[in-house]
Amino acid sequence: MLGPVHMSPRTPSAAKPRAVLATLLVQSNTVVSTHTLIDELWGSEPPRTATTTLQVYVSQLRKALLAATGEVPPGTDATQPLLTRPPGYLMRVAPDDLDLSVFESLRAEGRAAYGRGDYQAASQALSRALGLWTGPALSGIPHGPSLQASAIRLSELRAEVLEQRISADLRLGLHQELIGELMALAHEHPLREALHGHLMVALYRSGRQSDALQVYQRARRALVDELGVEPGPVLSGLQERVLASDPALAWRGEPERRLVPVGGPADHPAEGSGSVRPETGTGPGRDSGPTVWLPPAVADFTGREDQLAEGEQLLADDAAGRTKVLVLSGRAGAGKTALAVRLAHGAAGRFPDGRVLVSLRDAGGRAVEPRTALTTLLRRLRGPRAAGEGTDSGTEPLPSSDAELAELLHRRTAGRRMLFVLDDAVSEAQVRPVLSAVPDSTVILTSRHVLGALGGVRRLTLDVLSAPEAEALLMACGGRRMRDDPEAAGEIARLCGRLPLALRVAAAGLAARPHWTAAGLARRLRDERTRLAALALGDLDVRSSLLTAYRDVDEEARHAFRILAQGSLPDFALWSAAALLGTDLAEAERLTEELVQAHLLEARRRPGRSAPVRYGFHALLRSLALEVSAGEDPREGRAAVERLCRAFLALARHADARLTPGRVLLAHEAEPPAGVYPEEVVGSAPLRWFQEESAGLSEAVRQAHAAGLWGLCCALASASAGYYEAAALWEEWESTHRLALDAARRSGDVHAEAVVLRSLGDLDWQRQQTSAAIDRYRLAGELFTRHGDRAAAGRCLSAEADALLGTGRVAQAGRAYAHALSVSRPAGDARGTAESLRGLALVAVREARHEEALARLAECENAARFAGDRRWTEYARRTASALRAALGSGGPGTAASMPLEVRPGVWLFCPSEPAGRAA
């Protein structure tokens, strides 16, 4: 890949299969979506056969890859590195089998050696990395947007490695040997100021001061002519020092301090935080003045006014003798570093002795040791020592022990007004030695973890941006096309979860592709399972940032992170977490809280609810969880979904029995997690429980159906129907029951089909779709009869009679109620008997047989009481009282036309109108 794309022993000759190969290798060991590959090969106008053609290319690659191993067993995963993994393909590559992986490993090795001052090892590792290149990156193939961005990124990485290798060689005293190479590079890259700076130093140290000044003039001319800008402060400052014959620039046979622009990326913060700018003091080569080592502030920083104000207040607090530490915590991509850097830039006047940022992770995202952080800080400090220590030439070796390093840092910062930004801390243990070494300084500490064990600190937790802030950031970064489509910008902000990093990547992706529209970008982001793949551009990659946070926690927490996402719930109570994890409440709480502390899960306060704290995933973290779960055993996820559905069923049945008792429910095994008791979770407010869990309950029905858990799907829908009817949630009722009906028919469960059809008939009746309701009641009754459930068949007859009564067919309804009673009474169905007697009473009211109506209502009340159904008992008593009141106030004529409460809470206002729910 570091040159023309090829693989051994045989490379496909056609360009497009090689482009597929390159795209998969650039993202090796991660899933690349089919959509991404098609976009890479054909852009915005793929052929109709794009998917089929892509499959042909993949097949060709698989044959070539198996030929490379010398084995061709068909369909063997063990030897085939190119695997199908929804929503696309995954290329398995060992680190040593890909030149890019070897390059990045050597690059990291060189950076680490440079950071610890071992310039010989750094030069060797970086030279080996450069030796892997055989030409321009990813050459010989057509480039789509992804490969183009990767080629640019790799070329920039090569230039970075080259500049750092030259920097290491300069520190080794190889200035004369470097002059020829640097002259050629400066000619090839006339706008790279760092190369001109290296050449100026090499010439100056070789006694060629005038030549060094000419290099500056050529560089300045190129910058002014091409870009209309003057050289930056580093190159301009270097010219002044050459003019002044600064002795600090001369080679003295020992490693130089960073007063010359020969430092490399090892001194930079972690990738993504921007390049660091070392600034010198007031005069050339002087060892005084402030040390400023900060990346540039983000130009389009948006929002965070409250956090900025609080941070500025802390930095302005000059209380003597206080260690001032501000901990900025938040999930990956929340903009912690950007906020810290903005605060540091704005506090220049308050910290005249210096402001320094140090990353607490290495280039590979791993935590650095405390001694490494101490060493880096000492290397970057070049101000005067504490009183009595004399001057600090910076050429003596640093101490070897951690205690001596901390003591030296303490001495160098004592009494000085300095601000340190410790970026991306991993743990309390990592930062404590540094904090204790700088008691007189102010520290801004950023971390993806809460770092709750640190005492005496002030804390700010960064959440996502508000909706207006998120849209403003998109429009600032995405250009005119984003500003011209505010509706699409709003959708993109929502799909990105208003996470600053994701918003910036999305906007940059749109700006980099002139043929895209904001609406098209929103469409690409809608699929939750491929969203992260769409949020990548060059080395800007939301997935890698989130993955670092995921990898920071232990395997037990990572397992919990994957499993909790299987529920696909908008948010969930602790009992849901226990069900998904297959554990008790205490263990579930421990694991969820660990994920909250790592900002992989959100704890959402819900005052006034039965569960005052609920948990939920940020949208992109859910996408990550689903993505990493794709590589796990699918049976594990299915088992978690089944546990959750069983728990939902147990609690829904308990709530339904109190909200709408006596309904026909489907028998299915159900159990809550250990330590979860339905009477405690639901309590005395079943309606409130249903309201709080309604979205999760509907999702559980969908998941049970998707997992092929047919019986659970039907039972869950059935247990929810009473709530849907009571709350008039027609859409949820219909969507869940259509899935349940499909599940019943797929499984051949006649009884389940009958129960679901009866419920859908009730829905049709509530919607005043009388004909459809009658058809469903009759079909359900036939199925109940075939199944041998005469009691349920009798209730279907009563329901059909309700529909007839609502259309004014009173006599026909009366015959149907009588038929229903003749079925329910012998079957011993007290609830069905109560329903039939209630119907006969309503018919008697309409036909002005009021004494008979009262007698039937009394029988209905007794039957409902025998069934233990308080709702129907109160209904019968209430209806009888209303009838007596109507007879007393207006006589028989008024009673015959009175509005009828046909079922509890459902009213019929006149004989000719269909029944409907009262407003």
Side-chain angles (χ1 to χ4, degrees):
M1 297 178 66
L2 304 181
V5 175
H6 73 281
M7 67 179 184
S8 299
R10 180 169 64 85
T11 306
S13 56
K16 286 198 182 293
R18 282 187 284 125
V20 174
L21 173 65
T23 306
L24 292 169
L25 289 175
V26 165
Q27 302 180 57
S28 59
N29 299 312
T30 59
V31 176
V32 181
S33 70
T34 300
H35 170 81
T36 298
L37 291 167
I38 290 174
D39 193 35
E40 188 63 31
L41 293 174
W42 293 287
S44 59
E45 297 182 354
R48 293 182 183 276
T49 59
T51 301
T52 304
T53 305
L54 175 61
Q55 291 169 350
V56 172
Y57 294 160
V58 169
S59 177
Q60 292 174 2
L61 288 175
R62 282 175 169 157
K63 290 178 182 177
L65 289 164
L66 284 178
T69 67
E71 305 175 43
V72 238
T76 306
D77 254 15
T79 57
Q80 174 57 257
L82 178 49
L83 307 177
T84 300
R85 288 288 184 271
Y89 301 93
L90 179 144
M91 179 74 83
R92 295 186 303 195
V93 182
D96 293 339
D97 290 343
L98 185 64
D99 58 358
L100 175 57
S101 299
V102 177
F103 171 79
E104 289 178 336
S105 176
L106 289 169
R107 171 176 170 262
E109 181 183 334
R111 286 166 63 96
Y114 191 101
R116 63 176 181 268
D118 188 351
Y119 303 116
Q120 184 69 44
S123 177
Q124 290 174 354
L126 297 172
S127 296
R128 287 166 56 204
L130 293 168
L132 295 168
W133 286 71
T134 59
L138 302 171
S139 54
I141 56 172
H143 286 182
S146 177
L147 287 180
Q148 182 64 29
S150 296
I152 294 170
R153 180 180 71 87
L154 292 175
S155 297
E156 189 62 28
L157 283 180
R158 182 182 184 277
E160 173 196 292
V161 169
L162 177 62
E163 288 177 7
Q164 189 169 29
R165 194 226 78 207
I166 291 170
S167 175
D169 287 346
L170 280 173
R171 292 187 181 276
L172 292 170
L174 302 177
H175 35 272
Q176 290 185 335
E177 293 85 344
L178 287 170
I179 290 174
E181 179 184 8
L182 281 168
M183 283 183 169
L185 289 170
H187 178 75
E188 183 181 355
H189 305 285
L191 303 181
R192 293 193 76 96
E193 294 186 42
L195 291 173
H196 291 91
H198 290 329
L199 179 55
M200 289 173 67
V201 172
L203 289 167
Y204 180 83
R205 289 180 178 175
S206 300
R208 300 167 61 178
Q209 183 179 19
S210 60
D211 290 339
L213 293 171
Q214 287 179 1
V215 169
Y216 174 82
Q217 292 302 327
R218 284 197 298 271
R220 180 182 178 277
R221 248 190 330 269
L223 289 166
V224 171
D225 292 345
E226 292 290 329
L227 304 177
V229 298
E230 291 289 335
V234 173
L235 198 62
S236 299
L238 184 58
Q239 182 219 18
E240 294 175 7
R241 298 173 65 189
V242 171
L243 284 169
S245 300
D246 184 357
L249 283 177
W251 171 250
R252 295 194 292 271
E254 296 180 18
E256 287 287 309
R257 297 176 61 211
R258 193 180 173 100
L259 289 173
V260 294
V262 297
D267 291 311
H268 292 188
E271 291 183 80
S273 61
S275 59
V276 169
R277 181 177 70 250
E279 298 177 5
T280 59
T282 56
R286 291 182 59 186
D287 212 26
S288 61
T291 301
V292 181
W293 205 295
L294 296 172
V298 175
D300 45 20
F301 188 92
T302 303
R304 305 292 192 205
E305 285 83 2
D306 292 344
Q307 292 89 344
L308 276 170
E310 190 167 345
E312 288 166 357
Q313 181 181 0
L314 169 71
L315 298 183
D317 186 356
D318 292 326
R322 277 184 55 191
T323 300
K324 293 174 290 185
V325 180
L326 173 64
V327 177
L328 297 178
S329 64
R331 65 175 59 85
K336 302 178 294 296
T337 302
L339 178 62
V341 169
R342 189 172 183 86
L343 287 169
H345 276 288
R350 300 189 186 99
F351 300 99
D353 295 320
R355 292 160 291 138
V356 177
L357 181 145
V358 173
S359 176
L360 299 182
R361 293 181 189 264
D362 63 17
R366 296 173 294 273
V368 302
E369 294 295 325
R371 66 175 292 108
T372 303
L374 292 168
T375 300
T376 303
L377 279 171
L378 285 166
R379 290 187 186 282
R380 292 182 180 177
L381 290 177
R382 48 178 173 67
R385 296 188 182 186
E389 287 194 276
T391 60
D392 177 15
S393 66
T395 59
E396 75 284 355
L398 292 173
S400 58
S401 74
D402 292 5
E404 290 174 321
L405 285 168
E407 183 182 354
L408 179 57
L409 181 60
H410 189 176
R411 291 201 307 270
R412 291 195 180 180
T413 58
R416 302 177 68 191
R417 297 180 65 186
M418 301 197 71
L419 172 65
F420 294 109
V421 179
L422 305 182
D423 190 38
D424 213 357
V426 174
S427 67
E428 295 90 341
Q430 183 191 34
V431 298
R432 278 198 182 100
V434 182
L435 294 178
S436 63
V438 290
D440 293 344
S441 302
T442 298
V443 177
I444 299 176
L445 182 61
T446 75
S447 179
R448 299 171 190 182
H449 302 266
V450 174
L451 304 181
L454 289 179
V457 303
R458 291 176 66 176
R459 301 180 183 278
L460 281 177
T461 300
L462 296 193
D463 202 347
V464 297
L465 297 174
S466 68
E469 289 173 340
E471 292 171 24
L473 180 58
L474 281 173
M475 293 178 183
C477 300
R480 181 178 55 80
R481 281 169 293 153
M482 190 72 80
R483 292 191 293 272
D484 288 348
D485 194 345
E487 184 177 347
E491 184 180 5
I492 292 167
R494 179 181 59 80
L495 294 171
C496 290
R498 307 200 306 274
L499 188 70
L501 175 61
L503 295 168
R504 289 185 179 279
V505 174
L510 180 64
R513 298 175 174 95
H515 56 291
W516 279 20
T517 64
L521 174 59
R523 186 174 60 253
R524 288 174 168 85
L525 294 173
R526 284 174 192 151
D527 188 342
E528 186 178 43
R529 293 184 177 271
T530 60
R531 190 173 300 158
L532 289 176
L535 289 173
L537 181 69
D539 60 353
L540 286 175
D541 186 358
V542 175
R543 178 197 285 110
S544 63
S545 179
L546 299 179
L547 269 175
T548 301
Y550 169 72
R551 290 167 179 157
D552 275 350
V553 298
D554 59 29
E555 175 51 36
E556 187 179 31
R558 290 198 293 269
H559 176 264
F561 176 75
R562 296 191 300 268
I563 292 298
L564 289 174
Q566 301 305 310
S568 293
L569 305 174
D571 59 20
F572 51 90
L574 192 58
W575 66 262
S576 301
L580 283 164
L581 296 171
T583 186
D584 58 28
L585 281 177
E587 180 66 5
E589 184 173 34
R590 182 185 70 81
L591 289 168
T592 51
E593 287 298 324
E594 184 176 344
L595 293 173
V596 169
Q597 294 291 301
H599 290 287
L600 290 170
L601 195 65
E602 297 174 354
R604 301 167 182 170
R605 291 179 55 80
R606 297 289 188 266
R609 288 199 175 189
S610 54
V613 176
R614 295 176 70 86
Y615 299 92
F617 282 93
H618 182 273
L620 297 180
L621 283 167
R622 184 191 300 283
S623 295
L624 177 70
L626 294 175
E627 190 175 286
V628 295
S629 296
E632 303 296 323
D633 186 345
R635 292 173 298 183
E636 189 175 51
R638 189 179 188 276
V641 168
E642 185 170 0
R643 289 193 299 269
L644 177 67
C645 290
R646 290 182 186 278
F648 258 122
L649 180 56
L651 294 169
R653 280 178 174 168
H654 182 84
D656 180 75
R658 280 146 186 78
L659 181 67
T660 54
R663 293 191 314 106
V664 177
L665 295 178
L666 291 170
H668 196 285
E669 184 182 352
E671 67 282 335
V676 175
Y677 303 103
E679 57 273 16
E680 293 180 1
V681 174
V682 176
S684 60
L687 181 60
R688 183 175 73 167
W689 183 86
F690 270 121
Q691 289 169 337
E692 292 176 2
E693 300 295 349
S694 176
L697 197 52
S698 298
E699 183 60 35
V701 173
R702 284 188 280 274
Q703 285 203 287
H705 184 273
L709 301 169
W710 310 126
L712 262 178
C713 178
C714 296
L716 280 165
S718 173
S720 310
Y723 165 66
Y724 293 147
E725 181 173 11
L729 297 174
W730 308 148
E731 292 181 3
E732 291 86 343
W733 191 351
E734 181 173 21
S735 63
T736 55
H737 279 61
R738 285 192 181 279
L739 290 174
L741 185 60
D742 179 70
R745 287 171 174 168
R746 283 173 181 254
S747 61
D749 189 334
V750 173
H751 184 247
E753 183 180 357
V755 170
V756 175
L757 279 170
R758 160 65 203 265
S759 183
L760 285 170
D762 288 342
L763 174 60
D764 290 334
W765 182 64
Q766 292 278 15
R767 286 174 159 172
Q768 304 180 28
Q769 298 167 355
T770 307
S771 178
I774 291 173
D775 289 343
R776 279 182 164 151
Y777 288 144
R778 288 174 177 171
L779 179 56
E782 292 172 7
L783 293 174
F784 278 128
T785 302
R786 189 192 312 171
H787 184 69
D789 191 344
R790 288 182 53 79
R795 294 193 192 186
C796 288
L797 289 169
S798 285
E800 181 184 342
D802 288 345
L804 293 169
L805 182 65
T807 58
R809 289 177 276 181
V810 179
Q812 192 177 350
R815 290 191 293 273
Y817 286 128
H819 186 191
L821 182 61
S822 70
V823 174
S824 298
R825 221 170 220 163
D829 179 16
R831 165 68 181 270
T833 299
E835 289 185 13
S836 304
L837 289 166
R838 170 261 336 182
L840 290 170
L842 297 177
V843 170
V845 170
R846 286 300 187 220
E847 294 179 341
R849 293 181 279 113
H850 301 118
E851 292 303 321
E852 180 185 341
L854 290 170
R856 292 294 192 184
L857 287 170
E859 290 182 81
C860 174
E861 181 182 344
N862 291 332
R865 185 179 295 108
F866 182 78
D869 192 330
R870 290 182 58 188
R871 186 162 169 258
W872 275 80
T873 302
E874 291 300 322
Y875 161 78
R877 186 178 300 148
R878 182 169 63 246
T879 304
S881 297
L883 177 57
R884 291 190 187 97
L887 288 169
S889 63
T894 301
S897 60
M898 65 180 279
L900 295 180
E901 189 178 1
V902 186
R903 297 179 188 174
V906 182
W907 291 81
L908 178 65
F909 286 95
C910 69
S912 59
E913 290 181 352
R917 179 167 300 280

